[in-house]
Amino acid sequence: MNIPADHALVPVDGPKPKDQKINWIAFFAAFILAPLVPALLTLPTLATGPGALIFAIAAGSVVFGALPYLVIGMSCLIDILQEHGNDSRRIVKTAFKATAIIGLLIGALMAVTGNLDLGGAAFFGTCALVFGPLWASIFSALYARFDRAADNKGV
């Protein structure tokens, strides 16, 4: 008996959709600017005492989050853009999951090695859970804007 694929009880792997084309100029511009935008937006808060802490956290996250953002963030963003296009919801979810997994792995490593000084790790992990998805959403918005601008110019 020949059952059509859309009525099969077991999902049938259909042909894989063609990979999305990434606008690399828009990608790298958005990738570099995404962490800088929160720091630049909080720059005026330096004029007030408590605002300096807000700026310090935003600017510090750029410094301390640079390596994970480059290694893990870039690979996740490239994969999502190739497979699903600029799906901002998927990008933000993936950023949150990636930072949560990294935090859990660091916590497990600290527990296994016996280094239980979790104060700094908890602070950076909490910042990562906030700034990872924030940077991802900013990346998605900037990428869409830059890609749209390139399409309008005929590039």
Side-chain angles (χ1 to χ4, degrees):
M1 180 178 198
N2 193 3
I3 300 173
D6 59 342
H7 288 80
L9 295 175
V10 177
V12 177
D13 291 333
K16 184 179 177 186
K18 292 186 178 183
D19 289 340
Q20 302 284 331
K21 186 174 180 181
I22 295 176
N23 179 340
W24 291 105
I25 295 171
F27 177 85
F28 284 111
F31 188 77
I32 291 168
L33 288 175
L36 297 178
V37 167
L40 293 174
L41 289 176
T42 58
L43 187 60
T45 63
L46 278 174
T48 64
L53 177 63
I54 295 169
F55 173 75
I57 292 172
S61 67
V62 174
V63 174
F64 292 112
L67 185 61
Y69 182 63
L70 283 171
V71 175
I72 297 165
M74 184 180 282
S75 60
C76 289
L77 289 170
I78 290 171
D79 185 54
I80 291 170
L81 288 175
Q82 284 178 339
E83 295 291 324
H84 307 285
N86 189 12
D87 182 355
S88 60
R89 182 174 290 169
R90 185 180 302 267
I91 288 172
V92 171
K93 279 184 185 178
T94 302
F96 185 79
K97 289 176 186 176
T99 54
I101 290 170
I102 290 170
L104 290 173
L105 289 175
I106 290 172
L109 180 65
M110 292 174 79
V112 168
T113 61
N115 182 3
L116 298 178
D117 182 21
L118 298 175
F123 175 75
F124 287 120
T126 304
C127 286
L129 286 174
V130 172
F131 282 101
L134 177 67
W135 292 355
S137 63
I138 293 170
F139 168 85
S140 180
L142 289 174
Y143 180 82
R145 177 173 286 256
F146 295 152
D147 192 36
R148 199 169 38 248
D151 285 343
N152 290 340
K153 289 182 180 178
V155 174

